[in-house]
Amino acid sequence: MRAYRLPRLRKRLWAVIGVVGAGQSVLMAGLATMNRAQGSSAGGALITAWLISLAGLLVTGIIIDRRLARPLVATARGADILASSNPQHHLEISGRHWLDRLPDTLEQLGSALVRNQQDMDEAAQAVATKVEARRTRLETILREIRDGVMVCDREGRIQLYNRTTRDLLSSEPALGLGRNISEVLNEGPLNHTLRLLVPTNENAAPADAELVCATASGERLLRCRVARLVTDDPETSGFVMTLQDVSRQTRETLRREQALRDAVESLRNPLTSLNAATESLRLAQDEGLHEQTEQFARIIAEENEKLTHRFTTLSDETASVVTDNWRLEDVHLGSLIEGIKVSVEAEMIPRLQCRADVWLSAEPYLLSRVIEALLARLREELGVTALALSGREEGSLVYVDLNWSGDVIAADQLDHWLDAGLEDVGGTVSLREVLQRHDTTAWSQPDLSKEGRAMLRLPLPGAPKKATVVETVPARPEYYDFAIEDADRPLGDTADASLETLDYVVFDCETTGLEPSRGDEIVSIGAVRIHRGQVMHGETFELLANPGRPIPALASSIHGIYDEDVMEAPPVEEVIRRFHAFAGNAVLVGFNTAFDLRFLKLKQRITGVRFDNPTLDALLLSIMLHDHTGEHTMESIAERLGVGVGGRHTALGDSLTTAEIFMRLIDLLPGESIRTLSEAITAQERMIEFRRQQRAF
């Protein structure tokens, strides 16, 4: 059993010794047989030699086993422990061995691993402390914001929310960190809005969007503004929402409106009484009363006229203020109905079958109360127990139809319904007034498509369609003119310099368009310096330039620079001179460098500066090194090389990204036997010629 449990290494050692011993035995047996056949008397000597040989083999095996095999097995097992569970483990090697310093070296590695782990733990703790401090500071800021704020990850899990959000959603038990937003808000409108924020191949996505949706319990309607959070780290991407309670605001607005109406109407009776008093005085005058009575009546008449004029003006202004307070929102009808179904007791309204995937332009809280009131009337007065509700777009309107089996609503009965006040806002506004402010009304008619059925129709304004202008953004063309100049330009002492030792300036230009020969100009130059293999983030260049011409909307949509941004910027020529001073004699590096160089070189005569610097192109170097793929956009190269992309389509942001890409390309160039500047430029020229031939065919 003990032999069976021997480690594999020792089993192999003894197996080899056994094979050698067996071979010796066979050989000795053969020799003994031959001697007997020849009548030799050397058989005893052979046996003695065989026994000595076996003994020597056994002793050798024991020594190798104890000095080498056993220590190796112990070392291997100890190394497993060092690597997997206990870096401070002491190797259990007994006696003397032939492994020299191997065990000590492994233990030193384990100790170094412990120290490194401790350093990493300390660094992680320091980072965690900073993160926690920032989180606390952020929570403090969010706590003081009056609007509700909620941050969710890409999957919709709630990561952070402030005190206002907790108060707004106090009736939602699913509110909590790590819970999904769909458990708190109606997810249909939210998912629709999030899809609008995802850029497509044809259009850039808007920065944010608004929606109105019900809470999961249906107790409240919320106006939400949603903005995506896009970062280099998918773990921190997601979206942020601000929340406002539409229902509470609407109720408060209605109460203020009613108070204003009451204040205005309170003037009507005194005015009426004043008019009556005036008439009485006139009658008394006609009957021959004193002259003072006539004078008093004239004063009352004048004041009455002034008060009447003021009342009319105040009444008109009141109507204007009340009307302007109404704010129509883009509302998802399906979400509105779901909120009604959840918030109202089932026996109060008919059972609803809803097909309403349409968007309205409406005051969401009051419209939901109108529909709820009509449903309650249908159940209470007509005995309708089930109906189908649908929404259908017709031009700029959405026809909301309530369809049931039974008779139509009589006209006088429907008028009575519409003139009733909404109970939950104190009866201060009627159903008809709400519909009138949506420029609509309601009527009942037979459903001509199905016998025995009736419908109640509300034509409501549809949410306006947002027109999108699809403009294809052309890719920057590839230019190769600078290669001809580089071929004849002396590199001087830098020709044989190692690429790692040179100074570089990585730059990028943002422009009004793609054709400098037709008047397109630079609007921004950004650059960063590389010194001794390090990207110097503290040594950057970034200037806006006034192009002296309007910036096209398409260009602004790409780089985010508008006419008002460059109104007070220095002219292009001055910015180019400053960039030339920043670049000095460094090697110029860019991404599709020739495109940017064309803009610079067309200004050389006007500016009085020349860009004679050696030039390298990160795009061409990437194509040469990674010819196995056709993906050579800045984003795809950055992803391939493990570079984060930030500030895309800004001059400095693209320069920083290109600099990190270029440093990784330099590390790969020795694999292609490219180590000096002259070798890199020669390889680049070959790639340029290859690209030209590709384009020719």
Side-chain angles (χ1 to χ4, degrees):
M1 289 296 295
R2 186 171 181 82
Y4 177 78
R5 294 173 57 190
L6 282 176
R8 184 177 301 174
L9 177 63
R10 296 181 65 197
K11 283 182 180 180
R12 290 175 177 173
L13 170 64
W14 287 110
V16 170
I17 291 174
V19 170
V20 173
Q24 288 181 349
S25 299
V26 172
L27 178 61
M28 290 298 180
L31 291 174
T33 302
M34 289 175 58
N35 286 334
R36 282 197 301 269
Q38 295 174 0
S40 174
S41 60
L46 286 174
I47 293 174
T48 302
W50 172 60
L51 291 175
I52 293 173
S53 175
L54 285 179
L57 182 62
L58 179 61
V59 171
T60 301
I62 292 172
I63 294 173
I64 293 175
D65 182 53
R66 290 186 176 181
R67 298 292 179 87
L68 188 61
R70 287 184 181 181
L72 276 176
V73 170
T75 301
R77 289 179 174 174
D80 289 339
I81 297 173
L82 288 170
S84 60
S85 58
N86 182 15
Q88 294 179 308
H89 173 66
H90 179 69
L91 298 181
E92 300 169 317
I93 303 175
S94 59
R96 301 172 64 182
H97 57 77
W98 292 347
L99 300 182
D100 199 21
R101 293 185 49 79
L102 178 60
D104 295 336
T105 303
L106 286 175
E107 289 183 356
Q108 290 172 6
L109 288 173
S111 299
L113 181 61
V114 170
R115 290 193 297 271
N116 290 338
Q117 185 64 48
Q118 291 173 347
D119 292 343
M120 290 177 63
D121 290 342
E122 291 175 1
Q125 183 61 40
V127 172
T129 301
K130 291 182 180 179
V131 170
E132 186 61 30
R134 292 179 180 178
R135 179 186 178 91
T136 302
R137 187 161 59 249
L138 177 60
E139 289 176 343
T140 302
I141 294 171
L142 290 179
R143 191 163 53 244
E144 301 305 320
I145 295 177
R146 295 185 178 181
D147 286 347
V149 179
M150 184 183 298
V151 180
C152 301
D153 66 10
R154 298 172 65 188
E155 305 301 324
R157 289 185 293 269
I158 300 171
Q159 302 293 303
L160 191 67
Y161 60 88
N162 65 350
R163 182 171 54 193
T164 307
T165 299
R166 187 178 65 243
D167 295 340
L168 282 175
L169 302 176
S170 58
S171 60
E172 304 303 319
L175 177 66
L177 298 180
R179 302 295 296 272
N180 199 285
I181 187 66
S182 62
E183 300 178 76
V184 180
L185 301 179
N186 188 295
E187 63 178 330
L190 180 59
N191 289 339
H192 172 82
T193 304
L194 289 174
R195 285 194 294 270
L196 295 178
L197 298 179
V198 177
T200 64
N201 293 332
E202 296 83 9
N203 299 294
D208 52 28
E210 281 194 354
L211 74 150
V212 174
C213 66
T215 58
S217 66
E219 183 172 318
R220 292 186 176 183
L221 280 173
L222 302 177
R223 179 188 300 125
C224 310
R225 179 175 289 276
V226 185
R228 280 199 174 273
L229 299 173
V230 181
T231 66
D232 294 336
D233 182 7
E235 295 291 330
T236 60
S237 297
F239 56 91
V240 61
M241 301 177 63
T242 58
L243 312 173
Q244 291 181 322
D245 186 349
V246 178
S247 49
R248 183 177 59 188
Q249 289 180 352
T250 303
R251 284 195 295 267
E252 291 176 354
T253 300
L254 289 172
R255 290 191 184 96
R256 287 196 298 269
E257 290 180 7
Q258 187 62 32
L260 188 56
R261 286 197 190 97
D262 292 343
V264 173
E265 289 298 323
S266 66
L267 298 175
R268 191 179 300 277
N269 288 337
L271 283 172
T272 302
S273 300
L274 195 57
N275 280 328
T278 302
E279 290 299 321
S280 297
L281 285 172
R282 286 177 180 172
L283 290 173
Q285 184 182 8
D286 292 341
E287 294 175 1
L289 295 180
H290 299 294
E291 181 179 346
Q292 291 84 351
T293 304
E294 179 182 354
Q295 182 180 3
F296 184 62
R298 187 169 58 252
I299 293 173
I300 291 177
E302 290 174 355
E303 293 300 320
N304 179 55
E305 183 178 356
K306 292 178 182 178
L307 281 173
T308 302
H309 176 72
R310 291 175 181 174
F311 172 79
T312 302
T313 303
L314 181 59
S315 179
D316 292 341
E317 288 296 323
T318 300
S320 173
V321 169
V322 168
T323 301
D324 289 343
N325 275 337
W326 287 59
R327 176 179 175 180
L328 302 185
E329 308 279 357
D330 290 352
V331 183
H332 187 260
L333 180 58
S335 174
L336 206 68
I337 302 305
E338 287 299 319
I340 294 173
K341 289 166 65 176
V342 175
S343 62
V344 181
E345 295 181 7
E347 63 272 11
M348 299 296 294
I349 61 174
R351 188 173 66 255
L352 287 175
Q353 179 184 1
C354 181
R355 298 188 306 276
D357 188 18
V358 292
W359 289 78
L360 309 172
S361 181
E363 205 298 319
Y365 175 70
L366 289 180
L367 180 59
S368 67
R369 301 286 77 84
V370 166
I371 296 175
E372 180 185 326
L374 292 173
L375 290 171
R377 293 278 187 170
L378 285 169
R379 175 67 183 260
E380 179 182 353
E381 298 187 21
L382 294 187
V384 176
T385 58
L387 60 78
L389 188 148
S390 61
R392 176 172 53 87
E393 291 181 319
E394 285 286 346
S396 61
L397 295 177
V398 172
Y399 287 100
V400 180
D401 292 340
L402 284 68
N403 189 293
W404 66 90
S405 180
D407 299 329
V408 299
I409 309 170
D412 56 347
Q413 187 177 23
L414 181 57
D415 285 339
H416 175 68
W417 293 1
L418 296 180
D419 289 333
L422 291 173
E423 294 180 359
D424 62 339
V425 290
T428 57
V429 64
S430 68
L431 278 69
R432 190 185 304 278
E433 287 176 313
V434 173
L435 295 178
Q436 285 175 345
R437 296 194 185 189
H438 288 83
D439 295 324
T440 190
T441 186
W443 67 84
S444 182
Q445 66 184 45
D447 185 355
L448 301 180
S449 63
K450 296 179 181 178
E451 187 176 353
R453 295 187 67 85
M455 71 168 57
L456 177 65
R457 172 164 288 177
L458 288 80
L460 292 165
K465 300 290 189 301
K466 296 178 175 60
T468 56
V469 179
V470 178
E471 292 188 84
T472 302
V473 180
R476 283 187 172 188
E478 292 183 15
Y479 294 101
Y480 309 114
D481 297 1
F482 71 94
I484 299 174
E485 300 176 13
D486 283 346
D488 300 328
R489 182 186 305 150
L491 299 178
D493 296 337
T494 62
D496 297 325
S498 174
L499 291 171
E500 292 85 356
T501 62
L502 292 172
D503 284 350
Y504 303 92
V505 167
V506 185
F507 77 105
D508 181 72
C509 301
E510 300 298 338
T511 64
T512 61
L514 304 177
E515 299 183 7
S517 58
R518 296 188 180 182
D520 281 321
E521 294 282 0
I522 293 172
V523 295
S524 174
I525 300 179
V528 61
R529 196 182 308 280
I530 296 176
H531 176 67
R532 296 189 180 277
Q534 296 292 324
V535 179
M536 311 300 290
H537 292 274
E539 297 185 25
T540 59
F541 177 93
E542 185 177 27
L543 271 182
L544 292 175
N546 190 331
R549 53 161 292 181
I551 303 174
L554 179 58
S556 295
S557 69
I558 297 172
H559 49 55
I561 301 173
Y562 296 85
D563 291 332
E564 55 268 25
D565 298 323
V566 298
M567 287 179 58
E568 299 182 4
V572 175
E573 294 77 14
E574 177 61 26
V575 173
I576 290 177
R577 291 190 193 98
R578 295 188 191 180
F579 171 64
H580 184 269
F582 176 84
N585 296 323
V587 179
L588 292 179
V589 178
F591 195 90
N592 193 10
T593 317
F595 173 83
D596 302 291
L597 280 177
R598 282 179 65 86
F599 282 88
L600 298 177
K601 291 186 175 181
L602 286 175
K603 295 289 186 179
Q604 287 185 151
R605 184 178 58 82
I606 299 175
T607 59
V609 297
R610 292 187 60 82
F611 289 90
D612 295 328
N613 312 56
T615 309
L616 292 175
D617 189 340
L619 171 62
L620 290 174
L621 294 176
S622 172
I623 294 172
M624 178 188 69
L625 290 168
H626 305 133
D627 56 359
H628 62 284
T629 176
E631 296 294 329
H632 293 288
T633 62
M634 185 178 293
E635 290 84 354
S636 60
I637 296 173
E639 182 179 1
R640 186 180 305 125
L641 298 176
V643 173
V645 178
R648 188 72 174 99
H649 293 303
T650 65
L652 182 56
D654 283 355
S655 297
L656 290 166
T657 301
T658 302
E660 297 294 345
I661 288 173
F662 180 69
M663 293 308 301
R664 284 161 174 76
L665 293 174
I666 285 181
D667 293 338
L668 299 174
L669 287 175
E672 300 293 326
S673 299
I674 300 173
R675 294 177 174 82
T676 66
L677 178 61
S678 61
E679 290 171 345
I681 289 178
T682 301
Q684 184 171 264
E685 291 168 357
R686 289 198 302 267
M687 183 54 59
I688 290 170
E689 185 59 32
F690 174 70
R691 295 288 280 181
R692 280 191 179 129
Q693 293 175 5
Q694 273 189 327
R695 287 183 172 270
F697 291 96

mmCIF file of all heavy atoms in Angstrom, residues 28 32 36 42-54:
data_model
loop_
_atom_site.group_PDB
_atom_site.id
_atom_site.type_symbol
_atom_site.label_atom_id
_atom_site.label_comp_id
_atom_site.label_asym_id
_atom_site.label_seq_id
_atom_site.Cartn_x
_atom_site.Cartn_y
_atom_site.Cartn_z
ATOM 1 N N MET A 28 23.036 -11.322 -16.608
ATOM 2 C CA MET A 28 23.816 -12.268 -15.805
ATOM 3 C C MET A 28 23.348 -13.702 -16.023
ATOM 4 O O MET A 28 24.149 -14.646 -16.092
ATOM 5 C CB MET A 28 23.708 -11.904 -14.315
ATOM 6 C CG MET A 28 24.447 -10.622 -13.958
ATOM 7 S SD MET A 28 26.231 -10.767 -14.266
ATOM 8 C CE MET A 28 26.771 -9.144 -13.741
ATOM 9 N N ALA A 32 25.666 -16.758 -17.312
ATOM 10 C CA ALA A 32 25.803 -18.007 -16.534
ATOM 11 C C ALA A 32 25.461 -19.214 -17.384
ATOM 12 O O ALA A 32 26.132 -20.271 -17.318
ATOM 13 C CB ALA A 32 24.897 -17.935 -15.301
ATOM 14 N N ARG A 36 28.042 -22.336 -18.289
ATOM 15 C CA ARG A 36 27.754 -23.746 -18.012
ATOM 16 C C ARG A 36 27.877 -24.569 -19.282
ATOM 17 O O ARG A 36 28.357 -25.705 -19.278
ATOM 18 C CB ARG A 36 26.352 -23.890 -17.422
ATOM 19 C CG ARG A 36 26.286 -23.514 -15.924
ATOM 20 C CD ARG A 36 25.010 -24.049 -15.301
ATOM 21 N NE ARG A 36 23.828 -23.523 -15.960
ATOM 22 C CZ ARG A 36 23.193 -22.418 -15.599
ATOM 23 N NH1 ARG A 36 23.653 -21.715 -14.572
ATOM 24 N NH2 ARG A 36 22.132 -22.008 -16.234
ATOM 25 N N ALA A 42 33.325 -20.232 -13.775
ATOM 26 C CA ALA A 42 33.214 -18.827 -13.340
ATOM 27 C C ALA A 42 31.807 -18.465 -12.901
ATOM 28 O O ALA A 42 31.487 -17.295 -12.723
ATOM 29 C CB ALA A 42 33.658 -17.899 -14.480
ATOM 30 N N GLY A 43 30.933 -19.445 -12.751
ATOM 31 C CA GLY A 43 29.539 -19.140 -12.402
ATOM 32 C C GLY A 43 29.421 -18.459 -11.056
ATOM 33 O O GLY A 43 28.628 -17.537 -10.872
ATOM 34 N N GLY A 44 30.204 -18.918 -10.065
ATOM 35 C CA GLY A 44 30.123 -18.291 -8.742
ATOM 36 C C GLY A 44 30.539 -16.838 -8.769
ATOM 37 O O GLY A 44 29.945 -15.980 -8.096
ATOM 38 N N ALA A 45 31.568 -16.555 -9.543
ATOM 39 C CA ALA A 45 32.027 -15.165 -9.648
ATOM 40 C C ALA A 45 30.960 -14.281 -10.278
ATOM 41 O O ALA A 45 30.767 -13.124 -9.891
ATOM 42 C CB ALA A 45 33.318 -15.113 -10.459
ATOM 43 N N LEU A 46 30.245 -14.816 -11.285
ATOM 44 C CA LEU A 46 29.189 -14.031 -11.944
ATOM 45 C C LEU A 46 28.059 -13.708 -10.965
ATOM 46 O O LEU A 46 27.511 -12.599 -10.953
ATOM 47 C CB LEU A 46 28.639 -14.796 -13.142
ATOM 48 C CG LEU A 46 29.559 -14.857 -14.375
ATOM 49 C CD1 LEU A 46 28.971 -15.759 -15.438
ATOM 50 C CD2 LEU A 46 29.771 -13.451 -14.944
ATOM 51 N N ILE A 47 27.723 -14.691 -10.162
ATOM 52 C CA ILE A 47 26.637 -14.458 -9.197
ATOM 53 C C ILE A 47 27.048 -13.377 -8.204
ATOM 54 O O ILE A 47 26.259 -12.493 -7.850
ATOM 55 C CB ILE A 47 26.285 -15.773 -8.480
ATOM 56 C CG1 ILE A 47 25.667 -16.759 -9.488
ATOM 57 C CG2 ILE A 47 25.342 -15.527 -7.315
ATOM 58 C CD1 ILE A 47 25.418 -18.132 -8.911
ATOM 59 N N THR A 48 28.309 -13.487 -7.767
ATOM 60 C CA THR A 48 28.793 -12.474 -6.828
ATOM 61 C C THR A 48 28.755 -11.084 -7.458
ATOM 62 O O THR A 48 28.319 -10.097 -6.841
ATOM 63 C CB THR A 48 30.227 -12.822 -6.389
ATOM 64 O OG1 THR A 48 30.242 -14.129 -5.791
ATOM 65 C CG2 THR A 48 30.743 -11.801 -5.376
ATOM 66 N N ALA A 49 29.215 -11.012 -8.709
ATOM 67 C CA ALA A 49 29.196 -9.719 -9.406
ATOM 68 C C ALA A 49 27.764 -9.194 -9.572
ATOM 69 O O ALA A 49 27.481 -7.997 -9.443
ATOM 70 C CB ALA A 49 29.874 -9.845 -10.772
ATOM 71 N N TRP A 50 26.865 -10.157 -9.867
ATOM 72 C CA TRP A 50 25.448 -9.740 -10.063
ATOM 73 C C TRP A 50 24.870 -9.183 -8.772
ATOM 74 O O TRP A 50 24.191 -8.162 -8.751
ATOM 75 C CB TRP A 50 24.669 -10.964 -10.542
ATOM 76 C CG TRP A 50 23.183 -10.738 -10.589
ATOM 77 C CD1 TRP A 50 22.510 -9.824 -11.309
ATOM 78 C CD2 TRP A 50 22.195 -11.444 -9.853
ATOM 79 N NE1 TRP A 50 21.186 -9.908 -11.113
ATOM 80 C CE2 TRP A 50 20.935 -10.902 -10.202
ATOM 81 C CE3 TRP A 50 22.261 -12.526 -8.943
ATOM 82 C CZ2 TRP A 50 19.749 -11.390 -9.667
ATOM 83 C CZ3 TRP A 50 21.056 -12.999 -8.426
ATOM 84 C CH2 TRP A 50 19.820 -12.426 -8.767
ATOM 85 N N LEU A 51 25.179 -9.866 -7.635
ATOM 86 C CA LEU A 51 24.658 -9.405 -6.357
ATOM 87 C C LEU A 51 25.241 -8.045 -5.982
ATOM 88 O O LEU A 51 24.538 -7.162 -5.475
ATOM 89 C CB LEU A 51 24.982 -10.435 -5.268
ATOM 90 C CG LEU A 51 24.232 -11.781 -5.383
ATOM 91 C CD1 LEU A 51 24.726 -12.761 -4.325
ATOM 92 C CD2 LEU A 51 22.728 -11.573 -5.266
ATOM 93 N N ILE A 52 26.540 -7.883 -6.263
ATOM 94 C CA ILE A 52 27.155 -6.583 -5.965
ATOM 95 C C ILE A 52 26.532 -5.477 -6.817
ATOM 96 O O ILE A 52 26.260 -4.361 -6.351
ATOM 97 C CB ILE A 52 28.678 -6.664 -6.190
ATOM 98 C CG1 ILE A 52 29.316 -7.611 -5.157
ATOM 99 C CG2 ILE A 52 29.310 -5.275 -6.113
ATOM 100 C CD1 ILE A 52 30.777 -7.883 -5.397
ATOM 101 N N SER A 53 26.292 -5.816 -8.081
ATOM 102 C CA SER A 53 25.689 -4.832 -8.992
ATOM 103 C C SER A 53 24.292 -4.450 -8.526
ATOM 104 O O SER A 53 23.911 -3.265 -8.516
ATOM 105 C CB SER A 53 25.651 -5.396 -10.408
ATOM 106 O OG SER A 53 24.967 -4.510 -11.260
ATOM 107 N N LEU A 54 23.497 -5.435 -8.123
ATOM 108 C CA LEU A 54 22.145 -5.129 -7.645
ATOM 109 C C LEU A 54 22.194 -4.283 -6.385
ATOM 110 O O LEU A 54 21.410 -3.341 -6.204
ATOM 111 C CB LEU A 54 21.381 -6.422 -7.370
ATOM 112 C CG LEU A 54 20.877 -7.200 -8.594
ATOM 113 C CD1 LEU A 54 20.160 -8.464 -8.151
ATOM 114 C CD2 LEU A 54 19.936 -6.323 -9.425
#
